[in-house]
Amino acid sequence: MLIALRTLLLALWLALCVLPHLIARKLLGSIAVSRLFLRGAAWIMGLRVRRVGPAPDQRTLLLANHVSWLDIVVMASATGCAFVSKAEVKDHWMTGWLADQRETLYIDRQARRSVDAQIAAIAERFDHHLPLAVFPEGTTSNGLELLKFRPALLAAATPLPDGAFVRPVAIDYRADRAFVGWVAPETGMESAKKILSRWKPIHVDVHVLAPLDPREDRKDMAADAYDAIHRALFASSARDKSL
């Protein structure tokens, strides 16, 4: 019953937002309505999103931990970012269209020869009007651990362009980390049904952490981001247990 209700509300909310979004994008070049849609969608799905820390500047590369497909909704709601995404996302008519509305940058992770082009594309986005988010783990996790970061695409930020920033972001689902975590053999449909059928809200904190010191080595920068996010998540866990 709750799944059907939320699905209906999401469809109605999308229908309500589509026309204003298309008009704003056509006439003003603005995608602010798409962020409004994602904020409303998060609320309908039971997410209660809170940003901890400042809104990131537009010339910022955000490095976030990756727990679930929900991270897309959470990050866009909290920071207004665009995303770096695997190329397969655009192959589905609905997810591809929605990703396009957030001006997603697609990369083909299987095309080894195109890594240089991918790095150049990310570097160019430093001058974009939205901050750009990357999930350096490369996949979702069980929510209880932080996977090793892949440093390859951080070559776009080494050296860091003048006036640009790299900020780690810790996405913390608090007591629901394991519930939200999405790993095999759970399918996307199974995960969606699990989330949409839950009455209790899911509280998530998006910690926008201090910018990293510019580093010449992408592995060092990835390690710095990993350490900052790891500290934020585990400090949060320690606080939760002490309450």
Side-chain angles (χ1 to χ4, degrees), residues 7-155:
T7 301
L8 176 61
L9 289 175
L10 286 169
L12 291 174
W13 180 234
L14 176 61
L16 184 64
C17 291
V18 164
L19 185 58
H21 164 70
L22 293 177
I23 293 173
R25 190 171 189 186
K26 180 70 173 180
L27 298 181
L28 304 175
S30 170
I31 59 171
V33 178
S34 68
R35 184 179 182 185
L36 176 65
F37 165 75
L38 290 170
R39 283 177 167 174
W43 193 89
I44 291 170
M45 289 189 288
L47 298 173
R48 302 297 178 261
V49 181
R50 181 181 70 142
R51 189 184 74 234
V52 182
D57 297 322
Q58 64 181 43
R59 303 192 74 218
T60 302
L61 183 66
L62 304 175
L63 307 179
N65 58 307
H66 201 10
V67 182
S68 165
W69 55 273
L70 290 173
D71 298 342
I72 303 295
V73 179
V74 167
M75 281 290 289
S77 298
T79 70
C81 66
F83 295 92
V84 175
S85 175
K86 58 184 180 181
E88 299 93 289
V89 168
K90 65 181 178 180
D91 294 335
H92 187 278
W93 69 272
M94 177 56 78
T95 58
W97 184 83
L98 289 172
D100 286 344
Q101 307 319 300
R102 289 304 303 171
E103 302 188 5
T104 296
L105 175 61
Y106 301 105
I107 61 172
D108 185 355
R109 293 175 180 169
Q110 305 303 318
R112 301 288 183 181
R113 296 178 181 177
S114 67
V115 170
D116 289 343
Q118 295 168 10
I119 291 170
I122 293 174
E124 289 177 3
R125 288 294 287 264
F126 275 113
D127 290 325
H128 195 262
H129 64 97
L130 298 175
L132 185 67
V134 177
F135 298 112
E137 289 169 284
T139 187
T140 54
S141 73
N142 61 13
L144 301 176
E145 60 183 331
L146 189 61
L147 305 180
K148 182 179 179 181
F149 283 8
R150 301 177 181 182
L153 295 180
L154 291 185

Side-chain angles (χ1 to χ4, degrees), residues 224-242:
D224 289 347
Y226 182 97
D227 291 343
I229 293 172
H230 192 275
R231 285 194 301 270
L233 292 175
F234 277 83
S236 175
S237 292
R239 286 193 300 270
D240 291 344
K241 291 178 180 178
S242 68

